[in-house]
Amino acid sequence: MRTPPQPAPRRWLRKVEETSAGGLVVDLDAPVPRAALIGRLDRRGRLLWSLPKGHIEPGESVEDTAVREVEEETGIRGTVLAPLGSIDYWFVTPDRRVHKTVHHYLLRATGGELSDADVEVTEVAWVAVADLPSRLAYAGERRLARTAAELLADPA
């Protein structure tokens, strides 16, 4: 008599908390307000557009991280105008479950040149602020883009 196959032993992954920061940098001097987005290839080879973000370095504030990451990943320098909100999500690596929180800021472009020189970025593009919800790949970032549009439309 054959023994039925046994399920693999359950392996518990350690839980890790990570915090990052990033932002939506906007060029308000363009004829139509536009924002710099980054494109990265997913595992299936699809180009997904998102907001630049990255890890907080030791001794760095969350806002400073947002400014640095935006410049590193887009080539555009900016100054913080307002917080946009945070997004949190889970993902799994071979050895851990990661709960990541990303704090986002609205930045005004102050200089630089659009560039995809960062090795983590496949493409960069200026996108009209009004078109962000249809271009961004992730629902949480689309929500932040709508918040940014509301902030930019409010004259107060």
Side-chain angles (χ1 to χ4, degrees), residues 25 40 52 58 72 74 92 96 124 136 148:
V25 62
R40 292 184 172 135
E72 285 178 4
T74 68
V92 176
R96 59 196 174 126
V124 294
L136 288 164

PDB file of all heavy atoms in Angstrom, residues 25 40 52 58 72 74 92 96 124 136 148:
ATOM      1  N   VAL A  25       6.986  64.520  -7.295  1.00  0.00           N
ATOM      2  CA  VAL A  25       7.598  65.809  -7.593  1.00  0.00           C
ATOM      3  C   VAL A  25       6.896  66.407  -8.801  1.00  0.00           C
ATOM      4  O   VAL A  25       6.735  65.746  -9.828  1.00  0.00           O
ATOM      5  CB  VAL A  25       9.126  65.696  -7.802  1.00  0.00           C
ATOM      6  CG1 VAL A  25       9.491  64.812  -8.979  1.00  0.00           C
ATOM      7  CG2 VAL A  25       9.764  67.066  -7.925  1.00  0.00           C
ATOM      8  N   ARG A  40       9.398  50.659 -13.722  1.00  0.00           N
ATOM      9  CA  ARG A  40      10.221  49.487 -13.420  1.00  0.00           C
ATOM     10  C   ARG A  40       9.565  48.274 -14.056  1.00  0.00           C
ATOM     11  O   ARG A  40       8.342  48.188 -14.128  1.00  0.00           O
ATOM     12  CB  ARG A  40      10.314  49.260 -11.906  1.00  0.00           C
ATOM     13  CG  ARG A  40      11.096  50.324 -11.189  1.00  0.00           C
ATOM     14  CD  ARG A  40      11.222  49.960  -9.713  1.00  0.00           C
ATOM     15  NE  ARG A  40      12.134  50.882  -9.057  1.00  0.00           N
ATOM     16  CZ  ARG A  40      11.903  51.456  -7.888  1.00  0.00           C
ATOM     17  NH1 ARG A  40      10.803  51.210  -7.230  1.00  0.00           N
ATOM     18  NH2 ARG A  40      12.787  52.259  -7.351  1.00  0.00           N
ATOM     19  N   PRO A  52       8.665  57.470  -7.021  1.00  0.00           N
ATOM     20  CA  PRO A  52       9.982  57.126  -6.476  1.00  0.00           C
ATOM     21  C   PRO A  52       9.918  57.027  -4.954  1.00  0.00           C
ATOM     22  O   PRO A  52       9.204  57.777  -4.301  1.00  0.00           O
ATOM     23  CB  PRO A  52      10.879  58.282  -6.933  1.00  0.00           C
ATOM     24  CG  PRO A  52       9.958  59.384  -7.310  1.00  0.00           C
ATOM     25  CD  PRO A  52       8.640  58.785  -7.652  1.00  0.00           C
ATOM     26  N   PRO A  58      20.381  56.017   8.013  1.00  0.00           N
ATOM     27  CA  PRO A  58      20.576  56.389   9.419  1.00  0.00           C
ATOM     28  C   PRO A  58      20.795  57.897   9.571  1.00  0.00           C
ATOM     29  O   PRO A  58      21.562  58.505   8.818  1.00  0.00           O
ATOM     30  CB  PRO A  58      21.830  55.613   9.829  1.00  0.00           C
ATOM     31  CG  PRO A  58      21.879  54.453   8.877  1.00  0.00           C
ATOM     32  CD  PRO A  58      21.308  54.972   7.581  1.00  0.00           C
ATOM     33  N   GLU A  72      17.397  60.912  -6.692  1.00  0.00           N
ATOM     34  CA  GLU A  72      18.176  59.764  -7.153  1.00  0.00           C
ATOM     35  C   GLU A  72      17.469  59.008  -8.274  1.00  0.00           C
ATOM     36  O   GLU A  72      18.106  58.577  -9.234  1.00  0.00           O
ATOM     37  CB  GLU A  72      18.447  58.793  -5.998  1.00  0.00           C
ATOM     38  CG  GLU A  72      19.500  59.257  -5.027  1.00  0.00           C
ATOM     39  CD  GLU A  72      19.720  58.307  -3.871  1.00  0.00           C
ATOM     40  OE1 GLU A  72      19.104  57.208  -3.835  1.00  0.00           O
ATOM     41  OE2 GLU A  72      20.511  58.648  -2.987  1.00  0.00           O
ATOM     42  N   THR A  74      14.754  60.067 -10.220  1.00  0.00           N
ATOM     43  CA  THR A  74      14.209  60.815 -11.371  1.00  0.00           C
ATOM     44  C   THR A  74      15.180  61.835 -11.944  1.00  0.00           C
ATOM     45  O   THR A  74      14.987  62.304 -13.061  1.00  0.00           O
ATOM     46  CB  THR A  74      12.922  61.579 -10.996  1.00  0.00           C
ATOM     47  OG1 THR A  74      13.249  62.632 -10.077  1.00  0.00           O
ATOM     48  CG2 THR A  74      11.877  60.659 -10.403  1.00  0.00           C
ATOM     49  N   VAL A  92       6.568  39.002   0.660  1.00  0.00           N
ATOM     50  CA  VAL A  92       7.333  37.885   1.196  1.00  0.00           C
ATOM     51  C   VAL A  92       8.601  37.710   0.376  1.00  0.00           C
ATOM     52  O   VAL A  92       8.578  37.781  -0.858  1.00  0.00           O
ATOM     53  CB  VAL A  92       6.496  36.590   1.162  1.00  0.00           C
ATOM     54  CG1 VAL A  92       7.311  35.403   1.637  1.00  0.00           C
ATOM     55  CG2 VAL A  92       5.242  36.747   2.003  1.00  0.00           C
ATOM     56  N   ARG A  96      11.630  35.901   4.845  1.00  0.00           N
ATOM     57  CA  ARG A  96      10.913  36.776   5.777  1.00  0.00           C
ATOM     58  C   ARG A  96       9.628  37.308   5.165  1.00  0.00           C
ATOM     59  O   ARG A  96       9.473  37.338   3.950  1.00  0.00           O
ATOM     60  CB  ARG A  96      11.810  37.931   6.227  1.00  0.00           C
ATOM     61  CG  ARG A  96      12.296  38.779   5.084  1.00  0.00           C
ATOM     62  CD  ARG A  96      13.472  39.657   5.480  1.00  0.00           C
ATOM     63  NE  ARG A  96      13.952  40.316   4.301  1.00  0.00           N
ATOM     64  CZ  ARG A  96      14.102  41.621   4.165  1.00  0.00           C
ATOM     65  NH1 ARG A  96      13.847  42.408   5.174  1.00  0.00           N
ATOM     66  NH2 ARG A  96      14.537  42.134   3.058  1.00  0.00           N
ATOM     67  N   VAL A 124      11.919  56.910 -16.931  1.00  0.00           N
ATOM     68  CA  VAL A 124      11.300  58.022 -16.209  1.00  0.00           C
ATOM     69  C   VAL A 124      10.501  58.838 -17.216  1.00  0.00           C
ATOM     70  O   VAL A 124      10.822  58.843 -18.406  1.00  0.00           O
ATOM     71  CB  VAL A 124      12.326  58.933 -15.482  1.00  0.00           C
ATOM     72  CG1 VAL A 124      13.015  58.181 -14.371  1.00  0.00           C
ATOM     73  CG2 VAL A 124      13.340  59.500 -16.447  1.00  0.00           C
ATOM     74  N   LEU A 136      -0.505  55.420 -13.075  1.00  0.00           N
ATOM     75  CA  LEU A 136       0.100  54.730 -11.937  1.00  0.00           C
ATOM     76  C   LEU A 136      -0.441  53.309 -11.801  1.00  0.00           C
ATOM     77  O   LEU A 136      -1.640  53.073 -11.920  1.00  0.00           O
ATOM     78  CB  LEU A 136      -0.140  55.514 -10.647  1.00  0.00           C
ATOM     79  CG  LEU A 136       0.678  56.806 -10.533  1.00  0.00           C
ATOM     80  CD1 LEU A 136       0.101  57.701  -9.447  1.00  0.00           C
ATOM     81  CD2 LEU A 136       2.141  56.495 -10.282  1.00  0.00           C
ATOM     82  N   ALA A 148      -2.818  64.827  -4.268  1.00  0.00           N
ATOM     83  CA  ALA A 148      -1.908  65.852  -4.777  1.00  0.00           C
ATOM     84  C   ALA A 148      -2.653  66.822  -5.694  1.00  0.00           C
ATOM     85  O   ALA A 148      -2.477  68.040  -5.585  1.00  0.00           O
ATOM     86  CB  ALA A 148      -0.741  65.215  -5.524  1.00  0.00           C
TER      87      ALA A 148
END
